[in-house]
């Protein structure tokens, strides 16, 4: 069975060199894209990973000066923390969607959290602030749960929701998101 499968995969002798070259170029391109995209950083919980793409500068900048920066990373709030598998499945799914959107410039001008992200953030708010909310009734009108940010709307990102709301984000080690020609015109 395995020999039969291998015989299907291995090209005829006169095609071996071209196939090896094409495979080498393909593998090299994939490795280059992973390197340029800083792919291994997505395995970590480092908040600077979220600013691999400049569209997250405002969210990073607002988080960096918030009280949450002392205790929680981006992943602590925005990624499920219930177990290892769900955490990395969520990161992979979200990362692939973000990569596609940002690569093809399909990102919205105003960032809005998706339903899966809403569920993760709500669960993580409750997980971290468990002792503070045990006296609070989060359920209202039937079985609908009140979201934590219905009261704490600007925690921790303030009113930041797009690049235009925070154009001069101060990100250490990164250049401003405003292009040089616009900065010259503003002077």
């Amino acid at each position: 069975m395995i020999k039969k499968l291998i015989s299907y995969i291995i090209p005829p002798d006169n095609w071996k060199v071209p196939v090896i070259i094409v495979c080498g170029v393909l593998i090299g391109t994939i490795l280059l894209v992973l390197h340029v995209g800083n792919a291994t950083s997505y395995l970590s919980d480092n908040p600077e990973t979220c600013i691999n793409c400049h569209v997250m500068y405002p969210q990073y900048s607002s988080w960096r000066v918030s009280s949450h920066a002392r205790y929680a990373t981006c992943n602590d709030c925005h990624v499920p923390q219930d177990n290892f598998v769900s955490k990395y499945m969520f990161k992979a799914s979200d990362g692939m969607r973000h990569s596609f959107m940002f690569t093809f410039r399909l990102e919205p001008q105003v960032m809005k959290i998706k339903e899966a992200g809403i569920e993760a953030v709500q669960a993580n708010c409750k997980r971290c602030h468990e002792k503070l909310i045990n006296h609070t009734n989060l359920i209202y009108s039937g079985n609908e749960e009140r979201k934590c940010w219905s009261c704490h709307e600007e925690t921790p990102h303030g009113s930041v929701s797009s690049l235009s709301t925070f154009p001069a984000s101060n990100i250490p080690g990164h250049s401003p998101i405003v292009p040089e020609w616009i900065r010259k015109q503003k002077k």
Side-chain angles (χ1 to χ4, degrees):
M1 174 74 178
I2 294 175
K3 284 185 179 181
K4 196 173 182 180
L5 181 67
I6 291 173
S7 70
Y8 280 115
I9 296 172
I10 295 180
D13 287 341
N14 56 341
W15 280 89
K16 281 186 179 177
V17 172
V19 168
I20 289 172
I21 291 171
V22 168
C23 287
V25 169
L26 197 62
I27 290 170
T29 303
I30 290 170
L31 291 175
L32 178 66
V33 168
L34 292 174
H35 175 72
V36 170
N38 205 6
T40 55
S41 69
Y42 294 97
L43 298 173
S44 77
D45 288 329
N46 186 347
E48 280 74 27
T49 300
C50 294
I51 55 172
N52 281 345
C53 182
H54 75 274
V55 298
M56 296 303 290
Y57 280 14
Q59 286 75 15
Y60 175 82
S61 185
S62 60
W63 164 82
R64 203 171 65 96
V65 295
S66 75
S67 61
H68 277 78
R70 285 179 274 161
Y71 304 105
T73 65
C74 306
N75 285 339
D76 289 332
C77 295
H78 292 274
V79 174
Q81 301 294 322
D82 51 346
N83 67 58
F84 176 83
V85 174
S86 68
K87 176 180 179 176
Y88 281 95
M89 288 295 290
F90 185 92
K91 287 179 78 163
S93 169
D94 221 34
M96 291 299 289
R97 186 173 55 79
H98 288 174
S99 295
F100 179 80
M101 298 292 278
F102 300 144
T103 299
F104 294 103
R105 303 304 319 251
L106 299 172
E107 71 273 13
Q109 287 299 306
V110 177
M111 303 296 261
K112 291 193 175 187
I113 194 167
K114 300 286 183 215
E115 188 59 36
I118 288 173
E119 291 173 21
V121 171
Q122 178 75 1
N124 289 325
C125 285
K126 291 167 36 181
R127 178 179 57 86
C128 285
H129 299 285
E130 183 180 26
K131 292 179 181 170
L132 297 173
I133 62 171
N134 61 6
H135 65 281
T136 306
N137 188 5
L138 292 174
I139 304 296
Y140 73 105
S141 72
N143 289 331
E144 191 173 340
E145 184 180 50
R146 183 184 310 261
K147 302 299 181 211
C148 297
W149 52 93
S150 64
C151 295
H152 305 278
E153 188 176 358
E154 297 191 353
T155 304
H157 297 293
S159 57
V160 171
S161 58
S162 70
L163 285 172
S164 62
T165 57
F166 219 117
S169 295
N170 183 13
I171 308 295
H174 288 77
S175 59
I177 57 174
V178 178
E180 182 68 31
W181 64 272
I182 292 178
R183 279 186 271 147
K184 284 181 181 175
Q185 287 187 349
K186 288 176 78 176
K187 290 181 182 178

